[in-house]
Amino acid sequence: MLNKLRILLADDEAILRLDLREMLADAGHDIVGEAANGQEAVKLAKELKPDFIIMDVKMPIMDGITAAKIIAADNIAPVLLLTAYSQQDIVEQASDAGVIAYLVKPVREEQLFPAMEIAAKRFQEMHKLNESLENRKLLDRAKGILMAAHGMTEQEAYRKMQQFSMAKRISLKELAESIIAAAAKRQQ
């Protein structure tokens, strides 16, 4: 079961937002914002940093797929897209936009909550993977700097970094960032 989430709702139909708000509130979630178009949804997502976003595909000003693409690029929150349409091209566009889940209206509670749970877990997994890739890139850059500056092998550079991080009680990521920053200062 999902923990209490801070949710942003985006749909141009006020009655649908009301139904969703009640369904989600009854399940213990907080609705932190509501938008009637994709442009508002992007603005609110960036401001409010919700835990989850439920958004309609067809909205005025900016459609939900375009808004979802912007939100996904900024890695703000998982987006569950709602639509009255189940055409394959819309499903593909939603997938390409970084949408984590997709439901066809009318939304029923027995479909919504499992879809939300899976979407939230997939988003966390992707976030952890991206974070670990970024950390790996930092470590590789820092090792490269040490190898070039001190004539070390990759294993020696990594071992020195491990020893130093343990001795100073800082993470390898923090150490790598320090090494990279110090190298950048020296180059200036």
Side-chain angles (χ1 to χ4, degrees):
M1 188 68 182
L2 286 171
N3 292 331
K4 182 178 183 176
L5 296 175
R6 298 171 57 256
I7 300 173
L8 170 63
L9 297 177
D11 196 306
D12 58 329
E13 294 180 43
I15 192 78
L16 183 70
R17 286 195 318 266
L18 176 65
D19 288 346
L20 283 170
R21 184 181 337 117
E22 287 177 3
M23 194 183 307
L24 293 162
D26 287 349
H29 300 293
D30 286 333
I31 307 307
V32 295
E34 293 186 31
N37 63 63
Q39 188 175 20
E40 273 181 43
V42 169
K43 180 180 179 282
L44 287 174
K46 289 180 179 184
E47 287 174 10
L48 301 172
K49 304 280 191 226
D51 300 319
F52 204 89
I53 299 168
I54 299 174
M55 185 166 15
D56 188 21
V57 169
K58 302 284 185 189
M59 291 187 289
I61 303 174
M62 179 189 292
D63 64 78
I65 291 175
T66 303
K69 191 171 196 168
I70 295 167
I71 290 165
D74 289 345
N75 205 26
I76 296 171
V79 176
L80 184 147
L81 216 52
L82 302 176
T83 183
Y85 312 95
S86 60
Q87 296 131 326
Q88 188 59 35
D89 65 321
I90 293 177
V91 173
E92 287 173 21
Q93 289 173 19
S95 178
D96 292 344
V99 170
I100 306 270
Y102 185 95
L103 284 178
V104 178
K105 294 176 186 176
V107 177
R108 293 192 322 268
E109 199 171 314
E110 62 270 12
Q111 293 173 328
L112 177 62
F113 294 118
M116 286 176 63
E117 189 164 348
I118 289 169
K121 285 180 181 176
R122 292 294 170 265
F123 184 78
Q124 287 173 344
E125 289 168 3
M126 287 182 348
H127 186 69
K128 285 178 185 174
L129 180 61
N130 287 340
E131 194 174 88
S132 114
L133 288 172
E134 289 303 314
N135 288 346
R136 179 77 181 167
K137 288 178 189 177
L138 283 172
L139 288 175
D140 286 347
R141 277 183 64 199
K143 284 189 298 187
I145 291 167
L146 291 177
M147 290 163 58
H150 302 289
M152 298 177 173
T153 66
E154 183 177 356
Q155 289 175 333
E156 290 170 334
Y158 185 66
R159 185 72 188 131
K160 286 287 183 197
M161 288 175 63
Q162 282 181 316
Q163 291 169 343
F164 191 85
S165 77
M166 286 190 285
K168 297 294 181 183
R169 297 183 186 267
I170 62 171
S171 70
L172 278 171
K173 178 185 177 189
E174 291 171 309
L175 177 58
E177 289 170 337
S178 297
I179 292 168
I180 293 165
K185 278 186 183 178
R186 273 187 250 125
Q187 288 179 348
Q188 292 176 346

